[in-house]
């Protein structure tokens, strides 16, 4: 196979593009981190931290409802992730292995739901949650986030299960396992990369989503972290130091989850590209 050697100009352009992309990606989180350690009087200065302080972090933890928001987010995120992964995995497995009436319409429904912008669905979902008495309830937010995460994750899990040989299912049936036993004991352990991607996507959906969190949850004691972050910057004023400190703390759990899932992410995201 013939390879084409890049010219020095093309190589310089490639590296310049990569450097520019890296700077664009790293600048916002670095700006947040640096600003979070500045006193309020230096929030918009170009210089790095001159008077290093933890005042913003102490203010966020001690003088706001941050810990309450964190607890609310934890309940919503754990519930959404566990239920979302379970539903997406079982749905993806059923679509991959079984043929049943209504299968194709179901697949179209899962696909079409991804075409609607989130903002369009706020009003109908709000009315539904109000009728069910689920406003200002973590369960209502969990159900709402499942409507976002499950369709995409189910499609992704179907593509992953398609790469696992059907012979494994047949061997499970020969050993006397029912379909769920085959799925739980044989197929699911092989699907760890797909489960990791599904779990990470569901986690990020529930952890970082703002629109539904602020529309369905009112009162500072009911807000999640994403909704609580907006209380620092509003029409009455802006506390940039507290907002950046809170944003840094919020980013830490996401970074930890990404660290655990990252070795499975590439395999899980590309699993549907080929079929064995």
């Amino acid at each position: 196979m013939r390879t084409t050697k890049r010219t020095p100009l093309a190589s310089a352009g490639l590296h310049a593009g990569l450097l520019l992309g890296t700077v664009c990606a790293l600048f916002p989180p670095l700006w947040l981190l640096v600003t979070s350690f500045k006193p309020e009087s230096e929030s918009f200065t170009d210089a790095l931290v001159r008077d290093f302080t933890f005042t913003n972090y102490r203010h966020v933890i001690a003088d706001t409802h941050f810990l309450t928001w964190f607890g609310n987010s934890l309940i919503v995120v754990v519930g959404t992730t566990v239920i979302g992964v379970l539903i997406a995995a079982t749905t993806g497995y059923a679509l991959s292995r079984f043929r049943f009436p209504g299968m194709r319409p179901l697949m179209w429904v899962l696909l079409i739901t991804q075409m609607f912008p989130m903002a369009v669905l706020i009003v109908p979902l709000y009315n539904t949650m109000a009728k069910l008495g689920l406003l200002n309830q973590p369960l209502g937010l969990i159900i709402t986030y499942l409507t976002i995460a499950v369709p995409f994750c189910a499609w992704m899990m179907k593509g992953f299960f398609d790469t696992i040989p059907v012979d494994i299912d047949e061997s499970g049936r020969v050993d006397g396992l029912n379909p769920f036993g085959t799925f739980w004991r044989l197929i699911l352990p092989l699907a760890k990369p797909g489960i990791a991607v599904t779990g990470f996507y569901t986690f990020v959906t529930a952890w970082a989503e703002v629109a539904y969190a602020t529309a369905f949850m009112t009162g500072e004691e009911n807000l999640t972290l994403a909704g609580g972050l907006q209380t620092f910057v509003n029409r009455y004023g802006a506390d940039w130091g507290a907002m950046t400190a809170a944003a840094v703390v919020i980013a830490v759990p996401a970074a930890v989850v990404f660290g655990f899932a990252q070795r499975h992410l590439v395999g899980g995201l590309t699993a549907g590209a080929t079929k064995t």
Side-chain angles (χ1 to χ4, degrees):
M1 183 174 61
R2 188 177 65 180
T3 59
T4 302
K5 185 177 180 180
R6 286 195 302 267
T7 64
L9 182 61
S11 181
L14 175 63
H15 286 83
L18 292 174
L19 180 61
L20 179 62
T22 301
V23 171
C24 292
L26 293 180
F27 177 76
L30 286 178
W31 182 85
L32 282 175
L33 182 62
V34 170
T35 305
S36 69
F37 292 112
K38 290 182 178 181
E40 186 176 356
S41 59
E42 298 180 9
S43 295
F44 289 99
T45 59
D46 296 332
L48 295 177
V49 183
R50 288 196 294 261
D51 298 321
F52 190 90
T53 178
F54 284 101
T55 302
N56 295 322
Y57 289 91
R58 285 195 294 266
H59 170 63
V60 167
I61 299 298
D63 302 330
T64 70
H65 292 84
F66 185 84
L67 295 179
T68 301
W69 303 336
F70 188 90
N72 294 338
S73 289
L74 199 60
I75 294 172
V76 172
V77 166
V78 171
T80 303
T81 303
V82 172
I83 298 173
V85 169
L86 180 61
I87 295 176
T90 52
T91 302
Y93 180 73
L95 294 173
S96 174
R97 291 297 195 264
F98 304 113
R99 298 296 178 265
F100 51 87
M103 173 185 168
R104 189 167 295 276
L106 174 60
M107 295 178 66
W108 275 107
V109 168
L110 294 176
L111 182 62
I112 290 173
T113 54
Q114 301 301 299
M115 300 179 183
F116 292 95
M118 291 175 56
V120 174
L121 301 176
I122 289 179
V123 173
L125 285 173
Y126 183 93
N127 292 334
T128 301
M129 294 302 162
K131 291 179 181 179
L132 296 175
L134 293 177
L135 293 179
N136 284 329
Q137 298 293 329
L139 179 59
L141 211 52
I142 290 172
I143 294 173
T144 302
Y145 290 154
L146 290 176
T147 65
I148 304 172
V150 167
F152 173 79
C153 292
W155 262 101
M156 185 168 56
M157 290 304 300
K158 178 190 179 299
F160 188 86
F161 287 129
D162 285 343
T163 66
I164 299 178
V166 181
D167 295 345
I168 296 178
D169 301 67
E170 295 174 352
S171 65
R173 287 193 290 270
V174 170
D175 291 338
L177 294 175
N178 57 30
F180 183 79
T182 302
F183 164 76
W184 186 259
R185 298 180 61 180
L186 300 181
I187 304 300
L188 204 59
L190 299 175
K192 287 182 179 180
I195 295 296
V197 176
T198 300
F200 182 72
Y201 176 81
T202 308
F203 170 86
V204 171
T205 298
W207 188 257
E209 197 280 327
V210 176
Y212 291 155
T214 53
F216 300 161
M217 309 293 278
T218 58
E220 289 200 9
E221 69 281 358
N222 295 320
L223 295 177
T224 59
L225 287 171
L229 198 64
Q230 293 188 333
T231 63
F232 297 119
V233 180
N234 51 51
R235 60 181 177 177
Y236 302 110
D239 189 346
W240 294 105
M243 190 205 72
T244 54
V248 171
V249 176
I250 292 172
V252 171
V256 172
V257 172
F258 177 80
F260 282 109
Q262 59 87 21
R263 66 191 182 101
H264 296 298
L265 290 179
V266 175
L269 288 171
T270 60
T274 60
K275 184 175 180 179
T276 58

